[in-house]
Amino acid sequence: MTEFADLIARVARTGVFSLVLVAAAGATGFYGGAAADETEAATGDEDPFLWLEDVEGDKALTWVRDQNKRSLAVLQEDPYQALYEDALSILTSDARIPYGQIRNDVVYNFWQDETHKRGLWRRASVASYRTGAPAWETVIDFDQLARDEDRNWIRGAIACLSPEYRHCMVELSDGGKDAGIWREFDTKTKTFVDGGFFIPEAKSSVEWFDKDMLIVGADTGPGSLTESGYARTLRAWSRGSSLSEAPLIFEGDESDVSVGAVIEHEGPRAHVFIFRARSFFDYEYTYAEGDKAPVKLPLPLRATLEGVLDGEAIFFLREDWRHDDSVFKQGSVIAYNLATGAAETVFDASKMQSVEQIGVGKSGLVIQYLDNVVGKAARIARNSDGAWALTPIDMPENGVVSLVSVGGGVDDALLSFESMTTPDSLYFAPAEGEPGKIAQLPPLYDASDIVVEQRFAQSADGETVPYFIMAKKAVLEAGDAPTVQYGYGGFLSAQLPVYYSDPGRPQHGALGGKMWVNRGGVLVLTNIRGGSEFGPRWHEAALKANRQRSFDDFIAISEHLIATGVTSADKLGAVGRSNGGLLMGAVMTQRPDLYAALDIGVPLFDMKRYNKLLAGASWMGEYGNPDLEDDWAYISLYSPYQRLEKDADYPKVFFYTSTKDDRVHPGHARKAAAKLASLGHDFFYYENIEGGHGGTANQEQLAHRTALEYAYFMRMLMLGDEGAE
């Protein structure tokens, strides 16, 4: 560890740290992973469709193209074109609010529209931005870059060196994969640096120490990656040297998810944290300041670092923590004194509350939390007596509040408010005083006669589970309406009733309102266990052996919709993607009688092999290890791929995935469809040849896919599946 101590000393002397300006879209925690071993034999009974795991194999892609051709010939019939135009008008609207991050006196923003499909990274002065009509300056035109280099570049993360934010590392991926290359960029000259830092394609992490040194977790050869395909080692890479020969400063185990670094700077002090992700949710933190020896922090494994304020590390606790004869509660925010080891509670969430976002400003915190799934925000800082005091931020009620920008060396913040029928508004919240609206998204659809209600269903074990229902008032009053029910239920991800966010999703208020509700449908957003709607307890309730609770919650809401006359089984459809795709597979195989249509996107489906495919090994903290007999005993009870049956009466489902998805293997969707066909069941299938885990690489592709989804639901729930063969 001597190289690490030397590196810490250098960081302290230089007084620099890094900050991600534009984060790659993603959910909580780590995603990504190594490519599957295509030659590995199936576990247990021989799988006749294992060849479909060969992502870009000729045989597999021929099957994909045949399925695309067959399904698109039907799904692109009327009313597809009208739906596509509806979706594109929203996804490329110039009226969308250009959300950005304040850095010094500049706001940085990433923007896509019909002209800039790959997007612009651009900036404007804070003064200009606050007027609501920013004078933008383009920093990188990713469409032009792709043309100039004849590459299918899709923008990834951008990490810049503070406080100047001139020296940056820009991630570029091929077609939208999680893996990407990193290239050094100069925001002053607005050019890539000739002979600058370059990291080959991998799922890498990058942090700046100074303009001549990076701390990097990357694929540097055998032994450098975990089983999940993330960095197992961290290296201190100096300009002009070879990355593979850079000094090794930290390494974890191959069974870890990842290792990485975070550096927080306060004046001349540099706080360096090395984290080791033992699982998707369990982290160990090592800390050092200056040339002091690094020490392992005594925090519980389920704690996440949010920043440093006045020498205190701010952590969010996802489990109870006993420390210094005190118990700090699960779901609370705490301050840990890095010099003395003392800890204090900053915010103690109630049973009905959930802390969702924490921003560390110059002299205090801004938090966004849910109270019975309704958004709230507050400032928290020490008062004159040294105690932590909360001051609510006056935001509109009964909607979704989000932190857009907190920090950047100031206490001013940007927040947003929206609901499924209320377009986004952007607020500038000064360090002192009330927030003021600086931008308002105009209505993207007619919501004048649409109502949104929060309702509750009782799950199989008696738990009360909330959901939101959106429909025209007359449709709800009439009842028995075509209904689409959305669910996710995993990975601490709360599903909130938003109007619109990037990337667009079919359950968002604007897209769902314009494409479905305005055509007489009902849209339902569920808050099933597995998410974070009521804090970490809501997530833990559906972990591993308790996964069935998430499925039971979703089924209970479906039954409640039918029992209360909102819809009927022959008019009820459901949609979910990724972990939500697993949810769809589970309800499909357990209660096919409840649904007339199921939209299953980029799904997990074969839970016997999920940990062997791409990033699957990193999710065993969520689902368990199917290679262990005890874990497979409960996973096998719901794994959709193994539970498909010949004589079951399944609805005609719609699968979609992406060839370039290097997070959830496209083999899941491919094999599910192929097995259904072998059992005599029909289905629709669409696989985009690019697009990563999002399934699309630009707004046109997203409009196309969203139109296919609602065309499918209209066909199955409103028009009937006539002439589908």
Side-chain angles (χ1 to χ4, degrees):
M1 297 289 283
T2 56
E3 292 100 343
F4 181 56
D6 291 342
L7 187 60
I8 300 305
R10 177 174 180 181
V11 175
R13 289 194 301 272
T14 56
V16 295
F17 72 109
S18 67
L19 183 64
V20 174
L21 285 173
V22 182
T28 306
F30 296 92
Y31 281 115
D37 181 355
E38 309 299 353
T39 63
E40 184 175 357
T43 305
D45 295 336
E46 183 63 27
D47 183 351
F49 305 110
L50 199 66
W51 56 275
L52 285 168
E53 293 180 9
D54 186 3
V55 176
E56 298 194 20
D58 290 342
K59 182 179 178 182
L61 286 181
T62 296
W63 180 91
V64 166
R65 293 187 178 98
D66 287 345
Q67 297 304 322
N68 281 353
K69 182 178 179 180
R70 180 182 69 86
S71 296
L72 291 179
V74 177
L75 293 178
Q76 286 186 296
E77 294 177 350
D78 188 60
Y80 164 82
Q81 188 60 35
L83 290 166
Y84 172 77
E85 291 170 2
D86 282 351
L88 192 64
S89 70
I90 292 173
L91 296 171
T92 62
S93 170
D94 289 337
R96 288 174 292 131
I97 296 175
Y99 290 117
Q101 296 290 309
I102 299 175
R103 297 295 175 254
N104 299 322
D105 59 351
V106 174
V107 176
Y108 282 88
N109 162 261
F110 178 73
W111 183 259
Q112 291 175 290
D113 57 28
E114 193 168 0
T115 304
H116 307 98
K117 295 181 176 61
R118 298 174 188 271
L120 298 173
W121 188 38
R122 58 188 188 173
R123 62 192 174 201
S125 70
V126 171
S128 170
Y129 188 77
R130 289 186 65 181
T131 68
W136 293 111
E137 172 194 6
T138 297
V139 181
I140 300 177
D141 182 334
F142 288 95
D143 294 86
Q144 189 61 51
L145 179 67
R147 288 191 293 268
D148 290 345
E149 300 185 353
D150 193 24
R151 295 292 300 271
N152 188 20
W153 290 136
I154 303 298
R155 184 267 322 184
I158 302 176
C160 297
L161 175 65
S162 72
E164 189 179 8
Y165 302 104
R166 173 178 178 176
H167 304 281
C168 299
M169 291 295 290
V170 174
E171 184 184 29
L172 300 167
S173 75
D174 176 15
K177 296 186 295 184
D178 282 357
I181 67 167
W182 289 83
R183 294 163 61 179
E184 186 177 357
F185 185 84
D186 187 329
T187 60
K188 184 176 182 179
T189 63
K190 298 188 290 187
T191 59
F192 286 97
V193 177
D194 188 22
F197 288 114
F198 175 85
I199 302 173
E201 184 178 76
K203 293 170 183 176
S204 307
S205 65
V206 178
E207 289 280 319
W208 287 92
F209 276 121
D210 60 30
K211 66 182 181 64
D212 294 317
M213 179 178 283
L214 299 175
I215 182 167
V216 177
D219 185 352
T220 55
S224 63
L225 298 180
T226 66
E227 294 172 356
S228 299
Y230 282 106
R232 188 179 71 85
T233 61
L234 294 177
R235 295 179 180 272
W237 185 22
S238 297
R239 189 179 298 280
S241 65
S242 167
L243 174 59
S244 61
E245 297 176 356
L248 184 69
I249 61 170
F250 191 86
E251 62 181 323
D253 294 336
E254 288 188 2
S255 59
D256 294 339
V257 172
S258 177
V259 299
V262 176
I263 303 173
E264 297 284 347
H265 179 257
E266 291 186 302
R269 304 175 67 186
H271 303 284
V272 181
F273 300 86
I274 300 292
F275 65 81
R276 178 186 180 192
R278 301 295 300 270
S279 76
F280 198 95
F281 305 106
D282 299 335
Y283 297 79
E284 292 179 354
Y285 288 95
T286 299
Y287 167 75
E289 181 191 355
D291 57 359
K292 299 175 184 177
V295 295
K296 182 179 175 181
L297 296 181
L299 275 298
L301 289 177
R302 296 198 170 182
T304 54
L305 176 68
E306 303 292 342
V308 175
L309 180 66
D310 296 331
E312 295 182 297
I314 307 301
F315 282 93
F316 175 66
L317 300 182
R318 288 179 285 110
E319 63 177 302
D320 289 346
W321 178 40
R322 183 175 293 278
H323 179 68
D324 287 347
D325 298 324
S326 296
V327 176
F328 298 91
K329 291 170 54 179
Q330 178 189 59
S332 64
V333 181
I334 63 107
Y336 176 83
N337 191 299
L338 293 165
T340 68
E344 290 182 88
T345 296
V346 176
F347 180 80
D348 190 4
S350 73
K351 183 179 180 181
M352 300 304 290
Q353 293 176 334
S354 174
V355 176
E356 293 294 302
Q357 294 175 283
I358 302 168
V360 180
K362 183 178 181 180
S363 62
L365 311 179
V366 180
I367 67 166
Q368 178 265 315
Y369 62 100
L370 302 177
D371 196 333
N372 200 19
V373 204
V374 174
K376 307 286 185 180
R379 290 186 180 275
I380 306 179
R382 291 192 183 276
N383 60 24
S384 58
D385 296 327
W388 292 99
L390 181 146
T391 303
I393 297 176
D394 186 16
M395 295 291 290
E397 296 289 334
N398 300 319
V400 179
V401 176
S402 300
L403 304 186
V404 177
S405 179
V406 178
V410 299
D411 283 322
D412 298 333
L414 296 171
L415 295 88
S416 68
F417 175 82
E418 62 191 305
S419 74
M420 295 183 84
T421 54
T422 305
D424 307 28
S425 297
L426 178 64
Y427 291 80
F428 183 86
E432 297 181 0
E434 298 299 318
K437 186 187 297 185
I438 64 174
Q440 169 78 61
L441 178 70
L444 298 176
Y445 75 101
D446 181 7
S448 59
D449 59 347
I450 291 176
V451 296
V452 177
E453 299 176 1
Q454 187 181 38
R455 298 185 179 183
F456 302 88
Q458 189 174 73
S459 194
D461 63 354
E463 181 66 77
T464 299
V465 184
Y467 65 93
F468 292 92
I469 186 167
M470 174 185 179
K472 289 186 176 183
K473 185 178 180 180
V475 169
L476 277 184
E477 291 174 348
D480 195 22
T483 299
V484 172
Q485 178 181 339
Y486 170 81
Y488 185 78
F491 293 95
L492 276 165
S493 180
Q495 303 307 301
L496 303 179
V498 303
Y499 192 82
Y500 177 84
S501 66
D502 286 325
R505 300 292 189 214
Q507 74 275 10
H508 288 174
L511 286 166
K514 189 176 184 69
M515 303 175 72
W516 182 248
V517 177
N518 271 346
R519 287 178 166 87
V522 176
L523 184 62
V524 174
L525 183 74
T526 65
N527 300 124
I528 61 179
R529 282 173 286 185
S532 65
E533 286 86 346
F534 297 106
R537 72 176 181 90
W538 203 244
H539 172 240
E540 290 182 355
L543 274 180
K544 294 186 176 180
N546 295 321
R547 200 75 194 170
Q548 184 61 40
R549 289 176 177 164
S550 180
F551 310 145
D552 287 345
D553 290 355
F554 193 85
I555 289 169
I557 293 171
S558 301
E559 292 176 331
H560 193 253
L561 291 167
I562 295 171
T564 55
V566 172
T567 190
S568 52
D570 60 351
K571 292 183 180 179
L572 177 59
V575 55
R577 48 173 285 115
S578 192
N579 172 74
L582 171 62
L583 168 67
M584 294 299 102
V587 299
M588 168 188 174
T589 52
Q590 293 179 25
R591 290 297 305 275
D593 58 301
L594 283 178
Y595 308 99
L598 292 169
D599 176 357
I600 306 175
V602 287
L604 286 153
F605 220 86
D606 182 356
M607 298 303 289
K608 183 63 176 175
R609 283 181 52 77
Y610 88 90
N611 62 326
K612 298 176 175 62
L613 301 175
L614 298 174
S618 67
W619 307 324
M620 290 191 289
E622 179 85 9
Y623 303 118
N625 183 351
D627 295 333
L628 300 179
E629 183 177 352
D630 288 347
D631 287 9
W632 178 242
Y634 61 78
I635 296 172
S636 64
L637 296 178
Y638 69 78
S639 180
Y641 187 62
Q642 283 74 27
R643 292 179 62 85
L644 293 174
E645 298 177 353
K646 180 178 180 62
D647 296 331
D649 188 16
Y650 301 128
K652 186 174 180 179
V653 301
F654 173 39
F655 292 103
Y656 74 81
T657 187
S658 165
T659 309
K660 295 291 187 182
D661 189 346
D662 53 349
R663 190 180 307 176
V664 175
H665 198 291
H668 284 281
R670 293 175 179 180
K671 295 199 304 177
K675 186 172 181 179
L676 274 178
S678 73
L679 296 172
H681 302 290
D682 200 4
F683 59 88
F684 292 109
Y685 185 93
Y686 172 64
E687 181 172 325
N688 190 15
I689 304 300
E690 60 182 10
H693 186 55
T696 58
N698 55 54
Q699 303 295 58
E700 283 188 347
Q701 291 181 8
L702 182 54
H704 170 61
R705 213 266 321 289
T706 308
L708 291 178
E709 292 178 87
Y710 276 122
Y712 164 73
F713 282 127
M714 289 190 69
R715 184 179 188 86
M716 303 300 294
L717 306 179
M718 289 183 176
L719 306 177
D721 186 27
E722 300 296 330
E725 299 302 327

